[in-house]
Amino acid sequence: MSEWVTAFAPASIGNVAVGFDMLGLALTDVGDRVLARKTDGQDVTVAEVRGLDGERHPYLSADPKENTASIAAQALWNDHGHSGGVELRIHKGVPLQSGMGSSAASAVAAAVAVNALLDEPLPVEELLPYALEGEKFASGGLHADNVAPSLLGGLILCPQVLLPDVVRLPVPAGVSAVLLHPDLQVNTAQARRGLAKGYSMQLWLEQQGLLAGFVAACASGDIDLLRKTLRDVIIEPQRSKSVPCFTAVTEAARRSRAFGCSLSGSGPSIFALCAANHAHNIASAMEQACRGQGIGCQSWVSPMTAPGARIET
Ligand code: HSE
């Protein structure tokens, strides 16, 4: 048995409104931890999965074939482990089915922890395909918009057509993200299956234009352009109906001077981008609006430069 190593991987905002499946932003202060150590056994095993309360997780499986962390770890170990096996302890910090990249955070933390056990650890970017193996199991699709920012931090453009390559985008100075998590759950795989399969040329042109404009706004720091472009005309209208506090929370954020807001990933979490000095007021306004709908909630404020996964000592 070797010593345990611990990796932390942050939660993330999937899609960031404009880039369905291809744009993601890391958060601070909320994430999963995975502890890993080498064993004399074979393969990857899961010793425990603990929830937010530190107790055995009531839903997540410790079967290594059914947990995103062990699936990612096994894929990495198959390719780069020399001998023996690996044991994992998974400590969830990200609520399940929250739209905050919970399954991705576990997969990323596991890949980073197991990488540290390798005789020759890989550069961090090369862990992406392994973390994606885990994410694919959970969401039923190949999208890196949670895995990539969780692994690398910041704002990452990761269209499927470029994978495993991804692009770190510059971010405008002084902009923060507020993430509100209502006490509701949305199953991502189900939410993805429910999306319309065909879209009009008009919508496609509109969303492409918004994404291009948003990327340009981030690069140039043009906040007016960022305000105009932080919109999702395709996916949000389909999904927001199933989040009962969506309208109240987004209206509250906009009234409090957010640049824009939308669902995080498949929801139910809702994010806003805003001036850093307004972020805490906006978070309070969003929380108040959510509670006003009779729904409990929690919120986090992050800079757009949140760091990615790391080994903790
Ligand atoms: N891009 C994914 C989706 C993220 O919106 O389905 C899931 O959190």
Side-chain angles (χ1 to χ4, degrees):
M1 300 278 189
S2 65
E3 293 292 306
W4 288 101
V5 296
T6 304
F8 172 83
S12 52
I13 296 171
N15 303 333
V16 196
V18 285
F20 178 66
D21 275 3
M22 65 182 79
L23 191 63
L25 181 67
L27 296 169
T28 46
D29 301 327
V30 53
D32 284 359
R33 281 188 172 78
V34 172
L35 291 76
R37 67 174 173 182
K38 285 196 229 179
T39 64
D40 299 331
Q42 283 189 329
D43 296 330
V44 173
T45 56
V46 179
E48 64 182 25
V49 188
R50 290 190 188 275
L52 293 167
D53 54 5
E55 297 298 317
R56 184 164 169 262
H57 202 286
Y59 309 116
L60 282 181
S61 173
D63 177 340
K65 293 196 169 44
E66 291 183 358
N67 193 294
T68 65
S70 37
I71 291 170
Q74 185 70 62
L76 178 59
W77 197 245
N78 286 347
D79 282 0
H80 297 282
H82 284 294
S83 60
V86 169
E87 186 176 27
L88 302 180
R89 290 182 178 168
I90 301 162
H91 295 177
K92 294 297 297 175
V94 186
L96 293 194
Q97 306 197 330
S98 58
M100 297 169 63
S102 177
S103 50
S106 290
V108 168
V112 170
V114 171
N115 192 43
L117 299 179
L118 299 179
D119 293 345
E120 289 176 36
L122 305 178
V124 67
E125 321 74 66
E126 290 182 24
L127 299 177
L128 186 80
Y130 300 107
L132 273 175
E133 282 298 312
E135 174 72 324
K136 248 192 299 183
F137 171 79
S139 85
L142 182 64
H143 59 91
D145 54 323
N146 291 116
V147 161
S150 179
L151 182 66
L152 303 170
L155 180 66
I156 307 287
L157 182 69
C158 47
Q160 202 183 95
V161 67
L162 296 184
L163 293 176
D165 293 337
V166 300
V167 182
R168 174 180 299 287
L169 294 179
V171 294
V175 176
S176 287
V178 177
L179 187 290
L180 174 112
H181 172 234
D183 290 345
L184 303 168
Q185 292 194 321
V186 169
N187 178 290
T188 298
Q190 232 170 310
R192 294 176 71 79
R193 282 195 295 272
L195 292 173
K197 299 292 174 275
Y199 298 93
S200 70
M201 175 70 92
Q202 183 52 41
L203 274 181
W204 182 67
L205 287 172
E206 213 177 317
Q207 198 62 50
Q208 268 201 317
L210 291 169
L211 177 58
F214 179 79
V215 170
C218 285
S220 64
D222 182 338
I223 298 297
D224 284 338
L225 185 59
L226 188 143
R227 276 181 196 281
K228 258 188 230 158
T229 54
L230 188 61
R231 286 197 293 129
D232 171 6
V233 295
I234 295 186
I235 307 297
E236 182 192 293
Q238 300 180 65
R239 286 177 166 173
S240 56
K241 294 183 205 101
S242 56
V243 180
C245 57
F246 182 80
T247 304
V249 170
T250 53
E251 279 176 358
R254 290 202 172 89
R255 267 199 312 274
S256 310
R257 296 198 272 180
F259 301 149
C261 37
S262 187
L263 290 174
S264 174
S266 56
S269 291
I270 298 166
F271 81 95
L273 295 186
C274 60
N277 58 341
H278 293 154
H280 288 283
N281 283 347
I282 290 172
S284 304
M286 291 167 77
E287 282 198 19
Q288 212 181 337
C290 189
R291 294 206 174 93
Q293 301 293 304
I295 300 169
C297 58
Q298 196 180 355
S299 70
W300 293 267
V301 171
S302 301
M304 288 185 79
T305 51
R310 58 221 174 244
I311 294 292
E312 294 181 323
T313 47

